[in-house]
Amino acid sequence: MCALPKGCSSKHVSLLTDQDNWRHSEQMWLPIRNLKTEETSDKRFSFTVCISTVFGRYNNVLQFAQSLEMYRLLGVNRVVVYNTSCGPELDQLLHSYSQEDFVEIVPWPIDEHLTPSYGWLHSESGGDVHYFGQQTSLNDCIYRSMERSRYVLLNDIDEIIMPYQQSGLVPLMDILQKQHPDAGVFMIENHIFPKKYFEPSGKFNRSQWNKVPGVNILEHIYREDPARNVYHPYKLIIQPRMVEQTSIHEVLKIFGTQAPVKVPPDVCRIIHTRVALRGDLTLEQLKEDKRLWDFSEKLIPCVDKALRKAGLLDTKDGHKGG
């Protein structure tokens, strides 16, 4: 947003408290990672997922790996993870993924500088900054991706934005963009799959995964219907160059006049495997939803491969894979 001198090609930026000391040796210069060049246009990703933020030594390794591999099967090219702290096994997994450039790890040590809130409701959780700076990291990820990705998905690692009528995100967005050519924001409804209810046959209760920390999303096929008489959250698929500022569940400022599009849940919804939101619902009141199983034949070997590569899964001969 700053006006640049004519002919200036900036590669770094800094903040000054004293304009006379800009040459000071201790001045911190941050590289501009979003330069618009012919090369970035040629190498633009189709889909980037922004994950904010991993904290509290989070160690749900199995669901993390399943989600990443599911993103990949759906057509995601890049996942950006803002990491404050995670458990040792998840650290292994993230390091392994980052070596193949599918996952970009952004160190996010905000707890070393501020007292972050551990909950989303500030009146209950307090702190200097909301939920480990979740909104800040999402906005950072949008700007990081403006020249690198056609679309950005803003959702959590335990949420999968799942097309229900198309095989992946590319055909989904081709259709939605044709229907709404001027739209830059698509809102996807959240649907909870309570992790306390298991698919009864045990079809995907795999002994190979029992020693891997975390939730096996393939075992949870029962879906809550949202309580539509109260506020119900959405997550977002955006064109980053059309968004100026976002919050977690909706954009705050956009470029252009086209209002955000609410995508019908029969076209696309979020599969969110977590604790029940409507805990009063019985199993009989939930809807059976096996959409994830449509990808199981491809998903399972991909997850196994990722876990072995990270050294988290026994190989056939009983030794750890490295």
Side-chain angles (χ1 to χ4, degrees):
M1 296 181 182
C2 300
L4 296 176
K6 188 175 181 179
C8 175
S9 180
S10 301
K11 294 185 178 179
H12 291 76
V13 65
S14 187
L15 296 176
L16 301 179
T17 56
D18 183 352
Q19 64 178 349
D20 295 326
N21 290 331
W22 67 274
R23 294 183 183 275
H24 195 280
S25 59
E26 295 182 2
Q27 183 66 39
M28 179 181 290
W29 292 91
L30 303 176
I32 299 173
R33 303 185 185 277
N34 199 24
L35 295 172
K36 185 174 183 178
T37 65
E38 290 184 11
E39 184 179 5
T40 57
S41 298
D42 292 340
K43 295 184 177 179
R44 186 174 295 148
F45 298 127
S46 294
F47 295 94
T48 294
V49 174
C50 294
I51 302 297
S52 66
T53 59
V54 175
F55 62 87
R57 294 188 62 77
Y58 184 82
N59 206 40
N60 187 349
V61 178
L62 182 56
Q63 185 170 0
F64 212 107
Q66 289 176 327
S67 295
L68 288 176
E69 293 304 327
M70 195 65 244
Y71 296 154
R72 206 195 305 250
L73 289 175
L74 291 172
V76 170
N77 312 103
R78 186 84 154 177
V79 179
V80 182
V81 178
Y82 288 75
N83 185 21
T84 300
S85 69
C86 63
E89 290 87 358
L90 185 55
D91 188 60
Q92 281 181 247
L93 184 73
L94 290 176
H95 177 72
S96 177
Y97 271 114
S98 65
Q99 289 181 317
E100 62 177 273
D101 290 331
F102 179 57
V103 174
E104 177 182 350
I105 311 296
V106 179
W108 195 249
I110 197 166
D111 55 342
E112 296 176 12
H113 308 282
L114 298 168
T115 301
S117 165
Y118 276 80
W120 67 271
L121 190 59
H122 184 266
S123 60
E124 294 182 0
S125 304
D128 300 321
V129 61
H130 175 261
Y131 218 22
F132 283 79
Q134 183 181 27
Q135 290 195 58
T136 305
S137 58
L138 287 176
N139 281 283
D140 178 77
C141 195
I142 288 174
Y143 280 87
R144 224 173 246 264
S145 305
M146 279 190 177
E147 298 301 331
R148 299 196 301 175
S149 190
R150 184 181 179 195
Y151 294 104
V152 169
L153 284 66
L154 304 177
N155 58 279
D156 295 333
I157 192 60
D158 59 356
E159 299 170 335
I160 296 169
I161 293 180
M162 175 63 75
Y164 272 68
Q165 297 179 7
Q166 287 78 37
S167 59
L169 292 167
V170 172
L172 170 71
M173 294 313 300
D174 285 347
I175 290 173
L176 290 177
Q177 208 70 78
K178 189 173 293 185
Q179 294 171 344
H180 310 278
D182 298 324
V185 178
F186 297 86
M187 303 176 69
I188 313 298
E189 193 172 68
N190 192 18
H191 287 248
I192 306 297
F193 288 63
K195 63 181 183 180
K196 67 179 179 179
Y197 294 119
F198 290 78
E199 189 276 324
S201 75
K203 179 178 181 179
F204 293 109
N205 181 6
R206 305 182 72 242
S207 60
Q208 299 95 314
W209 291 346
N210 288 345
K211 293 183 180 180
V212 180
V215 174
N216 177 1
I217 60 176
L218 291 171
E219 292 188 281
H220 305 286
I221 62 168
Y222 300 107
R223 188 185 80 232
E224 294 180 5
D225 269 344
R228 301 189 188 280
N229 59 325
V230 297
Y231 175 78
H232 188 65
Y234 288 75
K235 291 299 175 73
L236 308 171
I237 301 176
I238 66 167
Q239 290 194 58
R241 285 170 292 174
M242 296 181 71
V243 174
E244 183 179 342
Q245 185 182 3
T246 192
S247 64
I248 288 89
H249 301 296
E250 58 190 47
V251 294
L252 301 178
K253 297 179 182 179
I254 60 175
F255 300 110
T257 58
Q258 172 69 51
V261 174
K262 288 187 176 181
V263 179
D266 63 322
V267 174
C268 181
R269 66 166 61 100
I270 292 174
I271 294 177
H272 189 180
T273 307
R274 48 155 283 173
V275 297
L277 185 64
R278 303 179 66 189
D280 56 323
L281 294 180
T282 65
L283 179 60
E284 290 71 30
Q285 292 174 298
L286 303 181
K287 302 288 178 63
E288 187 176 285
D289 186 333
K290 297 180 180 178
R291 174 58 171 152
L292 280 173
W293 287 15
D294 294 339
F295 299 86
S296 61
E297 288 188 12
K298 293 181 179 179
L299 179 63
I300 289 172
C302 289
V303 172
D304 283 348
K305 182 180 178 181
L307 293 173
R308 283 199 188 95
K309 184 181 176 186
L312 296 167
L313 190 69
D314 290 336
T315 57
K316 291 181 180 179
D317 60 5
H319 298 290
K320 287 283 186 177

